[in-house]
Amino acid sequence: MYKIFVIEDAETDIFEIYRYIHLNESKSRADKFFQKIYEKILSLQKHPERGHPPKELKHLGIYEYLEIVLNPYRIIYRIINKKIFIYCVLDGRRDMQKLLQERLLRFKI
C-alpha cells in the first residue's frame, strides 16, 4: 500500500475550498466536500496509477504528475517510491494552464 503525503499547498487549497463552501452554501455541504475529498485522496493508496497526466502539463512535456477528479476539483499528485505526494486541489473551471505552471513547475528540477 502506498503512503500519502499532502503538501502544505494542497492543505491550503482544501481549507480554502471548505471555507468558501461553508460561507456560500452551508457547513453541512462543506463537511460533505471534505469527506469526499478525503475519501478520494485515500483511494489513491490502493490504486495510485489510475490517474492520468493533466493535459496542460502534457503540452509542456511533463508526464510525472497525475490527476484524479472530484468534479469540479482536480487533485494533482505524483508517485515517488511507493509514496504519493498531493501537490494541489484546484477548481478545474479556472485557468489550469497558468495555475499548474505556477504551482508545479517550482518543484520540477
Side-chain angles (χ1 to χ4, degrees), residues 14-30:
I14 293 167
F15 173 74
E16 287 177 1
I17 295 166
Y18 178 92
R19 193 177 90 202
Y20 177 85
I21 295 169
H22 184 267
L23 293 173
N24 292 287
E25 295 181 32
S26 69
K27 182 181 183 316
S28 173
R29 290 198 64 148

Side-chain angles (χ1 to χ4, degrees), residues 37-51:
I37 204 82
Y38 178 77
E39 290 170 2
K40 191 79 161 180
I41 289 171
L42 279 184
S43 74
L44 290 170
Q45 287 180 319
K46 293 182 181 177
H47 305 288
E49 301 287 345
R50 77 170 189 271

Side-chain angles (χ1 to χ4, degrees), residues 54-108:
K55 65 181 184 243
E56 296 86 358
L57 295 179
K58 284 182 9 183
H59 290 307
L60 299 171
I62 299 170
Y63 296 91
E64 55 267 12
Y65 294 97
L66 301 173
E67 76 172 342
I68 55 174
V69 176
L70 178 65
N71 233 356
Y73 304 104
R74 294 167 67 181
I75 301 163
I76 312 297
Y77 66 99
R78 188 171 178 192
I79 304 167
I80 303 172
N81 300 325
K82 291 283 194 180
K83 296 176 186 168
I84 299 167
F85 295 90
I86 308 296
Y87 285 94
C88 48
V89 178
L90 302 172
D91 188 329
R93 299 169 290 193
R94 296 180 61 198
D95 181 352
M96 292 300 292
Q97 184 76 37
K98 183 175 186 251
L99 286 172
L100 290 173
Q101 283 180 318
E102 289 172 357
R103 298 281 295 275
L104 296 179
L105 292 182
R106 69 179 172 202
F107 295 108
K108 181 110 170 105

